[in-house]
């Protein structure tokens, strides 16, 4: 089902460019979108793409990953075990403001006469640059050049260079650099995806001071008890005369430079900004001191060194993570160019969402918006971790360790919902379940299996035994316990192990029995737990003893997991020869998507949930996702039939769908659909396919676009850690190249229509399979193989 029609990023706003997103004019109509598109961040700190002058803005946003307020969830009618505490990532004090006045007139984009306007997000340098030539009403031509970065190498630091030159005259110029606290939080009453917020003012003012060029303020958050300090310091370079004043109360601080600007003489301000936060353990004073140290170091280093560091960090990232695609000059090069630009921007935004997410997860919107309240979902493990595991395993490891840090709360949560083992929260910041809607929240038990699936891939691809035997094994034991407790052996199903009253990934079908995705993934989780425990018992006695100590693991537990997995019920309909999404899915009435007005999507905003639930209509890939993740458990025929059945029912109302549909379409040889879905996924945000990029980036879909390229077009599969390729380069592309990091080795892959080249760029020896043929690569070696044509889709044979 393909609903969306607008698929091209507005070219007049973002001309095609392989490494840059360039806004060539100021379009107030696109203000909300561009605030997201031009976001910069490092996974700890994120700035929306608001202008330095602070206005105009739709959502002025500055976010710190995991920095949140809690609030009691109030239910009209409550029930036992409902989640109790809401969590919302806060919009923290905004330190990116630098206001400009010339002849006491404020620089304000909507009314300014602009002779030049260009804003560029440079994905190689990691900077957001803007060049504006403003002609004031009195005829003064003022050149404003700014550059902003959130440092990838210095977690707590951001910096802005702001240069003003009056080109044709002299003028009094005031540059006022601010920190503005008490920012509003997004609150969407009608759209359930938006942040619910809370009504109280969450901030308690703590230490604050202004000293010379330095500003400092700190706050404590009322309910969560978290503490934040934010500081800024400045350095000015100019030949013009100037004076400076500063002040800082609890919520607002400024350093103001009043300059007698001389014709053609630049005035350059460097603003360094530091944020430090704590869950409550460190006092505001201590955090102010940390900001002081960060600022001292930044001043010493200077802006240009920070720019250099940023470039080095990104060179390293792109060297590992880039996907280069080349369009066919005779076919649609423009669209290949767009794809390249959007793909890189997606990968760049993922990096910005997690590079320094140390001790936190990845919010569904990264640090680009408050929608979904800054919560962590399965998005991280299923959609983003594959990219990270294969390109930046350090970050993947941090994220898995972060999940482990929630294990005690997951154990507690399992007790709250009357189970044993551990149940990870469907959505959370602090480890507690924050989903107030259990049908599409808590009931998504598959989150347990998703996390364990990501762990398995990570461990196989990196060979990181330490993580597997420590944090990993402990999580495996507790999640396996949950599954064993949750399901039961059903006599009516021939003694098979059934799991009832759960919700799968498709949130348009809830609280069902035997959701195929959940059962398949739970089976995988149980097998994986049993195998790991047995392997440790036989080969790593010390680790095993440790595990027993930490989990109270009993002698035969793994055998029970194994048995439940072996006897897992997997729904299958003999007549249709498909896997029903769950026990009752096929009994429901089919939703008539063709007759549904376009204006009524996403359905969740226009129909009561019960109307949706009683139909066969799918929000996002469910069985189709299982066919990708666990592709070796389906036959080719099943893949065709399942895809053909579910695809027309899938609305794609979740951005997590298109990428998966593209991968499976590519696998079954439906190039047309593969390309269409791939374009939806890749352009999801840059072209605003879902119409809500204003609320932030869809980080999961962005991770999905890497998967579309590598699993979809390169046809990579990694079952059991064995890497195989079955390339399916679509016609619109001429070539594609990328690199993977496999057990510390670097594999470079280049695909054209005719052949594929594999090079072992670093490492020792590596085995990969190309269309069924095993290849062994030695260091530095390139092996080239022709590509067999893709299979003809069923029903299209001559
Ligand atoms: C999707 C979920 C996803 C969440 C956050 C929802 O719309 O249905 O699968 O985890 O968004 O991205």
């Amino acid at each position: 089902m393909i609903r969306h029609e607008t698929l091209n990023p507005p070219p007049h706003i973002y001309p095609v460019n392989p490494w840059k997103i360039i806004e060539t004019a100021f379009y107030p109509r696109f203000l909300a979108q561009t605030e997201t598109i031009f976001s910069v961040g490092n996974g700890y700190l994120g700035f929306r793409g608001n202008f330095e002058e602070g206005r105009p803005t739709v959502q002025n946003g500055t976010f710190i990953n995991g920095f949140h307020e809690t609030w009691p969830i109030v239910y009209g009618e409550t029930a036992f075990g409902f989640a109790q505490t809401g969590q919302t990532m806060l919009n923290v004090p905004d330190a990116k403001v630098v206001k400009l006045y010339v002849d006491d007139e404020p620089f304000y984009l909507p009314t300014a006469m602009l002779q030049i306007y260009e804003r560029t997000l440079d994905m190689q340098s990691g900077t957001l640059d803007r060049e504006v030539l403003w002609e004031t009403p009195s005829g003064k031509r003022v050149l404003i050049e700014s550059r902003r970065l959130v440092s990838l190498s210095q977690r707590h630091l951001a910096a802005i260079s702001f240069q003003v030159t009056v080109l044709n005259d002299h003028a009094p110029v005031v540059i006022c650099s601010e920190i503005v606290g008490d920012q509003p939080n997004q609150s969407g009453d009608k759209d359930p995806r938006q942040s619910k917020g809370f009504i109280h003012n969450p901030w308690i003012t703590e230490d604050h001071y202004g000293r010379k060029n330095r500003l400092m303020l700190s706050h404590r958050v009322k309910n969560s008890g978290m503490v934040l300090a934010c500081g800024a310091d400045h350095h000015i370079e100019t030949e013009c005369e100037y004076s400076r004043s500063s002040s800082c109360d609890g919520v607002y601080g400024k350093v103001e430079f009043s300059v007698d600007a001389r014709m053609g003489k630049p005035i350059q301000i460097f603003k360094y900004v530091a944020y430090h936060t704590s869950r409550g353990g460190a006092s505001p004073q201590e955090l102010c001191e940390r900001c002081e140290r960060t600022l001292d170091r930044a001043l010493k280093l200077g802006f240009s060194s920070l720019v250099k560091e940023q470039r080095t960090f990104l060179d390293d990232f792109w060297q590992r993570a880039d996907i280069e695609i080349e369009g066919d000059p005779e076919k649609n090069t423009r669209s290949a160019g767009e794809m390249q630009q959007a793909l890189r921007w997606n990968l760049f935004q993922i990096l910005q969402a997690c590079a320094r997410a140390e001790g936190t997860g990845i919010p569904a919107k990264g640090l680009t918006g408050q929608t979904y309240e800054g919560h962590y979902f399965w998005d991280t493990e299923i959609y983003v971790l594959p990219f990270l595991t294969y390109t930046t395993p350090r970050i993947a490891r941090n994220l898995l360790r972060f999940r482990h840090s929630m294990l005690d709360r997951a154990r507690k949560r399992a007790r709250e919902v009357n189970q044993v083992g551990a149940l990870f929260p469907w959505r959370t910041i602090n480890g507690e379940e924050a989903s107030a809607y259990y049908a599409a929240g808590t009931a998504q038990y598959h989150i347990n299996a998703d996390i364990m699936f990501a762990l398995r891939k990570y461990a196989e691809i990196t060979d990181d035994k330490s993580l597997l035997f420590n944090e990993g094994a402990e999580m495996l034991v507790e999640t396996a316990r949950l599954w064993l407790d949750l399901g039961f052996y059903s006599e009516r199903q021939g003694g098979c192990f059934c799991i009832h009253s759960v919700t799968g990934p498709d949130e348009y079908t809830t609280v069902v029995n035997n959701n195929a995705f959940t059962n398949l993934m739970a089976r995988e989780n149980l097998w994986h737990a049993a195998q790991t425990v047995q392997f440790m018992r036989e080969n790593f006695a010390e680790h095993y003893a440790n595990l027993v100590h930490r989990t109270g693991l009993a002698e035969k537990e793994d055998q029970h997991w194994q048995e439940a997995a072996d006897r897992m019920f997997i729904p299958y309909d003999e007549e249709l020869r498909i896997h029903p999404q769950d026990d009752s899915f096929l009994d429901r009435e089919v939703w008539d998507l063709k007759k549904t007005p376009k204006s009524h999507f996403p359905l969740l905003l226009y129909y009561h949930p019960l109307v949706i639930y009683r139909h066969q209509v799918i929000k996002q890939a469910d069985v189709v996702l299982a066919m990708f993740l666990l592709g070796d458990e389906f036959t080719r025929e099943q893949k065709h039939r399942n895809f053909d059945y579910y695809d027309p029912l899938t609305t794609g109302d979740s951005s997590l769908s298109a990428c998966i549909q593209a991968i499976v379409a590519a696998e079954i040889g439906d190039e047309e659909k593969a390309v269409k879905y791939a374009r939806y996924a890749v352009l999801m945000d840059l072209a605003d396919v879902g119409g809500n990029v204003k609320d932030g980036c869809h980080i999961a879909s962005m991770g999905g676009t890497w998967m579309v390229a590598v699993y979809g077009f390169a046809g990579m599969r990694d079952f059991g850690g064995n890497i195989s390729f079955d390339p399916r380069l679509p016609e619109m592309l001429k070539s594609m190249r990328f690199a993977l990091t496999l057990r510390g080795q670097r594999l470079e892959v280049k695909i054209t229509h005719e052949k594929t080249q594999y090079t072992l760029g670093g490492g020792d020896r590596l085995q990969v399979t190309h269309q069924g043929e095993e290849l062994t690569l030695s260091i530095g070696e390139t092996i080239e193989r022709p590509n067999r044509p893709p299979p003809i889709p069923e029903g299209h044979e001559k």
Side-chain angles (χ1 to χ4, degrees):
M1 171 72 190
I2 291 165
R3 254 186 332 98
H4 314 283
E5 268 162 7
T6 53
L7 247 196
N8 296 316
H12 52 292
I13 309 192
Y14 320 127
V16 172
N17 183 299
W19 287 105
K20 293 176 178 165
I21 309 292
I22 305 168
E23 183 189 40
T24 52
F26 169 58
Y27 289 99
R29 196 156 72 81
F30 291 103
L31 184 61
Q33 283 100 318
T34 53
E35 284 181 0
T36 296
I37 306 284
F38 291 98
S39 294
V40 289
N42 65 7
Y44 169 73
L45 169 66
F47 289 163
R48 268 172 76 79
N50 312 113
F51 303 116
E52 269 76 28
E53 54 277 12
R55 295 181 311 145
T57 177
V58 178
Q59 199 202 345
N60 191 51
T62 308
F63 306 112
I64 289 184
N65 195 347
F67 194 83
H68 69 278
E69 173 61 315
T70 54
W71 39 277
I73 302 176
V74 180
Y75 294 95
E77 286 178 49
T78 189
F80 185 81
F82 274 16
Q84 295 300 316
T85 314
Q87 302 152 38
T88 303
M89 176 174 78
L90 287 169
N91 194 3
V92 300
D94 179 12
K96 58 190 176 314
V97 184
V98 183
K99 289 184 177 158
L100 169 67
Y101 304 83
V102 175
D103 285 329
D104 292 334
E105 296 301 329
F107 170 60
Y108 177 57
L109 272 174
T111 51
M113 253 196 330
L114 301 173
Q115 300 192 337
I116 297 176
Y117 176 96
E118 190 166 275
R119 188 158 58 144
T120 305
L121 180 65
D122 185 325
M123 300 182 273
Q124 283 173 304
S125 63
T127 53
L128 176 63
D129 299 343
R130 189 174 64 159
E131 188 185 4
V132 173
L133 183 55
W134 166 39
E135 189 171 326
T136 68
S138 62
K140 294 190 182 158
R141 301 178 71 226
V142 185
L143 182 64
I144 310 163
E145 295 155 290
S146 65
R147 168 166 283 191
R148 174 192 294 179
L149 64 86
V150 174
S151 175
L152 289 158
S153 47
Q154 308 210 22
R155 191 168 182 248
H156 300 275
L157 186 68
I160 295 167
S161 142
F162 192 83
Q163 179 170 302
V164 179
T165 316
V166 183
L167 299 177
N168 60 344
D169 211 333
H170 61 92
V173 166
V174 173
I175 299 173
C176 182
S177 166
E178 303 178 349
I179 301 182
V180 188
D182 207 7
Q183 293 289 328
N185 290 293
Q186 185 203 48
S187 173
D189 290 340
K190 295 249 163 60
D191 187 339
R193 297 167 297 185
Q194 291 195 340
S195 175
K196 285 288 130 315
F198 35 81
I199 36 176
H200 67 272
N201 172 4
W203 301 106
I204 301 170
T205 302
E206 298 276 357
D207 257 23
H208 51 90
Y209 48 85
R211 283 180 203 142
K212 297 187 182 160
N213 290 337
R214 191 164 285 195
L215 303 171
M216 190 70 65
L217 48 89
S218 63
H219 295 296
R220 195 182 289 277
V221 183
K222 242 174 224 158
N223 296 341
S224 72
M226 295 187 92
V227 184
L228 168 140
C230 170
D233 208 327
H234 303 79
H235 171 71
I236 176 166
E237 278 178 15
T238 182
E239 287 175 24
C240 308
E241 300 265 299
Y242 69 91
S243 64
R244 186 211 59 223
S245 67
S246 64
S247 63
C248 185
D249 64 23
V251 282
Y252 174 77
K254 66 172 179 178
V255 174
E256 199 171 281
F257 297 93
S258 300
V259 190
D260 289 329
R262 299 204 322 258
M263 188 167 92
K265 298 284 177 205
I267 308 154
Q268 185 156 27
I269 309 276
F270 297 104
K271 178 176 190 178
Y272 302 99
V273 172
Y275 288 86
H276 279 270
T277 46
S278 108
R279 293 197 175 97
S283 67
Q285 294 72 23
E286 150 95 33
L287 294 185
C288 290
E289 277 164 28
R290 290 187 201 170
C291 283
E292 295 272 355
R293 287 197 284 271
T294 304
L295 293 172
D296 287 345
R297 205 176 43 247
L299 278 166
K300 211 155 138 204
L301 260 174
F303 192 79
S304 56
S305 300
L306 288 174
V307 171
K308 263 195 218 130
E309 272 183 13
Q310 189 85 337
R311 175 80 198 206
T312 310
F313 193 104
L314 280 159
D315 283 349
D316 174 58
F317 169 72
W318 288 119
Q319 198 249 346
R320 283 176 291 104
D322 189 26
I323 296 181
E324 199 182 314
I325 55 180
E326 200 188 343
D328 188 333
E330 299 191 351
K331 289 166 190 139
N332 210 342
T333 28
R334 172 166 181 92
S335 78
E338 266 168 23
M339 291 270 269
Q340 174 72 82
Q341 180 181 29
L343 187 54
R344 286 205 172 114
W345 179 71
N346 291 344
L347 303 182
F348 181 70
Q349 285 294 359
I350 299 177
L351 183 77
Q352 297 206 107
C354 67
R356 306 305 305 271
E358 293 148 19
T360 58
I362 307 178
K365 300 279 173 181
L367 299 173
T368 64
Q370 269 178 309
T371 289
Y372 289 120
E373 302 186 82
H375 288 173
Y376 317 132
F377 293 76
W378 70 315
D379 303 33
T380 305
E381 282 80 6
I382 294 296
Y383 289 82
V384 186
L385 270 182
F387 166 65
L388 296 173
T389 295
Y390 278 102
T391 60
T392 323
R394 171 190 72 80
I395 305 177
R397 180 174 221 270
N398 284 339
L399 289 162
L400 287 165
R401 293 192 67 231
F402 170 65
R403 275 298 186 190
H404 177 262
S405 74
M406 291 180 183
L407 187 58
D408 276 339
R409 271 152 294 170
R411 286 181 170 118
K412 186 166 160 263
R413 182 65 186 149
R415 302 295 98 75
E416 283 167 9
V417 294
N418 313 90
Q419 311 295 160
V420 305
L423 176 60
F424 284 99
W426 173 243
R427 52 189 294 173
T428 191
I429 296 177
N430 65 13
E432 284 170 24
E433 177 61 273
S435 171
Y437 186 51
Y438 78 87
T442 300
Q444 295 201 51
Y445 291 85
H446 66 85
I447 178 93
N448 263 15
D450 305 332
I451 300 170
M452 293 305 94
F453 185 87
L455 167 74
R456 177 173 207 148
K457 292 281 171 210
Y458 168 82
E460 284 169 354
I461 300 308
T462 60
D463 213 11
D464 182 347
K465 295 270 183 320
S466 150
L467 187 99
L468 178 63
F469 292 163
N470 292 295
E471 294 90 342
E474 198 179 344
M475 291 193 284
L476 278 167
V477 167
E478 299 295 10
T479 49
R481 283 174 170 164
L482 183 284
W483 290 121
L484 188 69
D485 188 45
L486 190 67
F488 71 109
Y489 293 98
S490 163
E491 276 179 33
R492 281 173 62 80
Q493 294 293 1
C496 283
F497 191 78
C498 291
I499 303 175
H500 284 184
S501 300
V502 302
T503 298
D506 167 27
E507 295 182 353
Y508 284 177
T509 316
T510 66
V511 195
V512 293
N513 296 344
N514 291 317
N515 166 255
F517 177 91
T518 305
N519 287 18
L520 282 158
M521 292 291 281
R523 176 165 80 174
E524 172 67 25
N525 190 161
L526 287 160
W527 272 334
H528 185 199
Q531 283 158 10
T532 306
V533 163
Q534 283 155 20
F535 182 73
M536 286 170 69
R537 187 161 49 222
E538 283 158 22
N539 302 290
F540 293 89
E542 214 172 295
H543 282 296
Y544 180 73
N546 215 325
L547 181 66
V548 171
H549 175 70
R550 275 178 293 147
T551 59
L553 184 66
E555 190 62 30
K556 295 234 161 77
E557 269 191 82
D558 54 299
Q559 290 176 21
H560 298 307
W561 303 336
Q562 178 84 38
E563 191 186 353
D566 291 344
R567 288 169 60 189
M568 183 68 72
F569 178 76
I570 308 297
Y572 185 71
D573 187 273
E574 293 291 347
E575 208 176 301
L576 292 173
R577 288 190 282 144
I578 62 161
H579 290 85
Q581 192 172 293
D582 58 70
D583 279 356
S584 54
F585 189 80
L586 299 180
D587 299 331
R588 302 197 164 135
E589 186 185 349
V590 174
W591 185 292
D592 193 342
L593 283 171
K594 289 212 176 78
K595 282 210 185 121
T596 310
K598 278 212 158 66
S599 57
H600 282 37
F601 291 92
L603 302 182
L604 65 99
L605 295 187
Y606 301 92
Y607 299 90
H608 190 281
L610 288 169
V611 176
I612 298 176
Y613 298 166
R614 66 174 74 97
H615 285 88
Q616 290 192 48
V617 64
I618 299 177
K619 184 177 180 193
Q620 63 204 92
D622 194 296
V623 171
V624 171
L625 175 59
M627 293 202 300
F628 160 51
L629 298 178
L630 301 169
D632 53 348
E633 297 175 28
F634 292 82
T635 65
R636 220 186 133 61
E637 194 222 339
Q638 287 169 351
K639 285 184 190 170
H640 273 278
R641 298 189 74 84
N642 283 333
F643 185 81
D644 288 348
Y645 188 84
Y646 290 110
D647 202 53
L649 302 175
T650 307
T651 56
D653 279 355
S654 161
S655 65
L656 278 66
S657 205
C659 51
I660 306 302
Q661 290 167 271
I663 296 168
V664 177
E667 181 176 351
I668 63 171
D670 189 338
E671 178 174 326
E672 202 187 317
K673 278 198 175 158
V675 169
K676 250 176 192 164
Y677 286 129
R679 280 180 61 77
Y680 288 153
V682 172
L683 295 167
M684 182 70 65
D685 284 345
L686 209 52
D688 201 6
V689 171
N692 59 357
V693 72
K694 63 180 174 45
D695 294 329
C697 294
H698 296 88
I699 300 294
S701 168
M702 291 175 153
T705 63
W706 182 87
M707 296 201 281
V708 168
V710 174
Y711 290 98
F713 296 157
M716 184 183 83
R717 290 298 179 271
D718 47 14
F719 305 123
N722 301 313
I723 307 297
S724 63
F725 295 89
D726 190 1
R728 307 233 187 285
L729 201 63
E731 252 188 67
M732 67 174 285
L733 299 183
K734 198 168 147 212
S735 71
M736 176 169 88
R737 61 193 318 162
F738 57 89
L740 301 173
T741 304
L742 300 163
R743 293 165 212 109
Q745 318 200 77
R746 178 182 166 85
L747 173 69
E748 292 157 9
V749 182
K750 177 164 186 203
I751 303 171
T752 60
H753 287 284
E754 298 72 38
K755 57 186 191 213
T756 305
Q757 258 180 18
Y758 302 95
T759 306
L760 189 61
D764 181 14
R765 271 173 100 70
L766 188 70
Q767 278 215 330
V768 296
T769 305
H770 173 80
Q771 297 191 318
E773 182 194 355
E774 267 191 20
L775 311 173
T776 306
L777 290 153
S778 329
I779 172 81
E781 191 187 2
T782 298
I783 299 185
E784 195 175 284
R785 285 291 178 272
N787 297 332
R788 269 197 324 267
I792 298 160
E794 225 179 46
H796 294 256
E797 299 92 348
K798 290 216 172 99

